[in-house]
Amino acid sequence: MIGYDPLYSLAGILVGMLVGLTGVGGGSLMTPLLVLAFGFHPATAVGTDLIYASATKTVGGAVHGLRGTVDWKIVRRLAAGSLPAATVTLLLLSRSTERGADSGATIAFVLGLALVCTAAATFFRARIVAAIGPSFRGMAPRTLALWTVVLGVVLGVLVSLTSVGAGALGMTALLLLYPAAPVSRLVGSDIAHAVPLTLIAGVGHWWLGSVDVMLLLSLLAGSIPGIVIGSLIASRVTDRVLTPILAATLAVVGFKLIL
């Protein structure tokens, strides 16, 4: 466990502000920052960020639930795939650790790929939905349910390995699968689904010993006011400026982790 360092809280403020401004999940920003800027082992960065995410998303999920902007059918379908997938992924990580293998390189590589995909989903979301979306319309209910469970499996593996995926990637996929649903309900469903997923994945990493409690508290101390500040000024900053910058940053960081 590390000692308190104000730089970690400063990082929390900056990431929190970006989350409040852009809506992009903190894992896409915080995890690579902890790995590349502060030199944390990828497993520690992922595990700590997952516990952090479960706390913040619980608040967001509760707000959406009270406002009625959660489609619980979608949440159940996603969870039916993601929770078992997360459990299996964590068991495989546990066995890898027991054999003395260092999973850091694998986690960093998958994290890099997830960030590159997140960058593409962030920048090209409208084009992706416009190009591919029509092929998903008119899908049979059972087929739609199956595809949603498959999406949950993919998110369960990605989030458990990298803490990235439930935000931009999950939302883009939901927009493709449920084009007629109100965006607010898809956002609420995505956040509500992320609560149990990040909690289970975070507890699993805690069990594996890859959660730093002091780092977690330092990040929360900065990110909570950061999210508030970012949300307050979000209406004054145009997405046309923020989205390309954010997408380019995620892509560069992703390629750096891969290479």
Side-chain angles (χ1 to χ4, degrees):
M1 182 183 295
I2 64 167
Y4 175 74
D5 188 331
L7 287 178
Y8 302 140
S9 293
L10 177 61
I13 292 175
L14 295 176
V15 170
M17 288 180 63
L18 286 172
V19 171
L21 281 168
T22 65
V24 173
S28 302
L29 303 166
M30 184 63 77
T31 304
L33 180 64
L34 293 175
V35 174
L36 296 176
F38 294 113
F40 281 94
H41 189 280
T44 301
V46 169
T48 304
D49 185 70
L50 282 169
I51 296 293
Y52 156 78
S54 68
T56 56
K57 289 182 183 295
T58 297
V59 177
V63 172
H64 278 281
L66 291 173
R67 295 178 62 187
T69 52
V70 176
D71 188 323
W72 294 107
K73 182 186 292 185
I74 294 176
V75 174
R76 287 193 296 269
R77 290 172 176 175
L78 289 171
S82 67
L83 301 188
T87 302
V88 172
T89 302
L90 290 166
L91 288 174
L92 292 175
L93 281 176
S94 173
R95 293 192 176 185
S96 175
T97 303
E98 289 175 358
R99 291 196 299 267
D102 186 1
S103 59
T106 300
I107 292 176
F109 180 79
V110 178
L111 173 60
L113 287 178
L115 289 175
V116 172
C117 292
T118 299
T122 299
F123 190 73
F124 297 110
R125 175 179 294 175
R127 296 181 184 179
I128 293 172
V129 172
I132 306 176
S135 62
F136 286 92
R137 289 177 183 153
M139 187 182 299
R142 287 188 178 181
T143 306
L144 178 61
L146 177 61
W147 274 108
T148 308
V149 173
V150 171
L151 172 61
V153 171
V154 174
L155 294 179
V157 174
L158 278 179
V159 169
S160 299
L161 278 176
T162 69
S163 77
V164 176
L169 293 177
M171 263 305 298
T172 301
L174 287 177
L175 287 169
L176 291 172
L177 292 172
Y178 299 90
V183 175
S184 60
R185 286 182 68 82
L186 294 181
V187 172
S189 303
D190 182 58
I191 292 176
H193 163 249
V195 174
L197 175 55
T198 54
L199 179 60
I200 287 179
V203 169
H205 276 274
W206 193 309
W207 174 59
L208 294 174
S210 51
V211 173
D212 192 302
V213 177
M214 185 57 70
L215 173 61
L216 171 64
L217 295 176
S218 301
L219 296 178
L220 285 172
S223 64
I224 293 175
I227 290 174
V228 173
I229 295 170
S231 300
L232 290 174
I233 64 177
S235 60
R236 303 181 183 180
V237 183
T238 175
D239 288 344
R240 293 183 179 180
V241 175
L242 281 176
T243 299
I245 293 175
L246 179 63
T249 301
L250 293 175
V252 169
V253 172
F255 282 118
K256 185 175 180 61
L257 286 166
I258 292 171
L259 301 176

